[in-house]
Amino acid sequence: MTPASETASRRSSLTSRCSSLIPVLSVFLLALSACSSPTPQQQLATAEAAAQEAAHDGGKVVQAVALLEAVVAGHAETPEAPRALKALAMLRQQHGEMEGAISTYDRLLASYPASDEAVEAQFMTAFIYEEHLADFAAARQAYQKVIDNYPGTE
């Protein structure tokens, strides 16, 4: 066998062995990436911690908002999504963005009306209208929705 044909034979053998490893390696990498992805609960915990920091440090608000929105976008069908929206609304309220807080509570109510967070979202909407915006007519309507939509709650 000539050196050129010997090199070609080795390449062919190596290519053949590598080709048979590609499916196995692909499955391994897929499994590894699934293991390393944070769970919705872990993502929410990280986002909530960022929101708590941002409540005291205005420079961290953008990052906290992005993390909370990522939980909602990435896990819309989980219980973490309404919790993330509630945290986002609270953060906006803490930073004086009352209209943004109401808008976020409205998103929560529209998307997750039966969630554990819904009654508080409706109540907080009424509270913001009453205490922060002095819009008593809107507050009265929002409080009435608490009574109508969530009877038996305190």
Side-chain angles (χ1 to χ4, degrees):
M1 191 178 267
T2 67
S5 64
E6 189 176 312
T7 301
S9 176
R10 272 193 245 145
R11 275 191 203 138
S12 175
S13 175
L14 181 60
T15 301
S16 175
R17 282 186 277 165
C18 288
S19 294
S20 66
L21 288 176
I22 289 175
V24 173
L25 186 57
S26 296
V27 169
F28 174 75
L29 290 174
L30 183 62
L32 183 61
S33 70
C35 292
S36 65
S37 296
T39 66
Q41 296 85 2
Q42 291 168 328
Q43 274 191 305
L44 178 62
T46 300
E48 287 176 327
Q52 287 177 348
E53 287 183 33
H56 305 291
D57 182 353
K60 296 183 178 184
V61 172
V62 172
Q63 177 190 9
V65 168
L67 289 170
L68 290 164
E69 288 286 7
V71 172
V72 175
H75 307 289
E77 301 303 319
T78 68
E80 285 71 29
R83 287 180 53 199
L85 284 171
K86 177 183 165 189
L88 181 57
M90 291 171 58
L91 180 61
R92 289 183 167 144
Q93 183 179 352
Q94 290 166 344
H95 284 275
E97 299 173 28
M98 298 308 159
E99 295 294 340
I102 289 171
S103 175
T104 304
Y105 283 130
D106 286 345
R107 276 178 62 197
L108 190 160
L109 290 163
S111 299
Y112 308 98
S115 70
D116 292 340
E117 291 76 15
V119 66
E120 186 176 350
Q122 186 62 63
F123 175 82
M124 288 306 299
T125 297
F127 178 81
I128 292 168
Y129 277 126
E130 179 182 15
E131 296 294 323
H132 296 282
L133 301 177
D135 185 341
F136 302 112
R140 190 175 304 108
Q141 288 177 343
Y143 282 128
Q144 190 61 49
K145 287 181 182 179
V146 173
I147 295 166
D148 295 343
N149 297 337
Y150 307 99
T153 58
E154 297 178 15

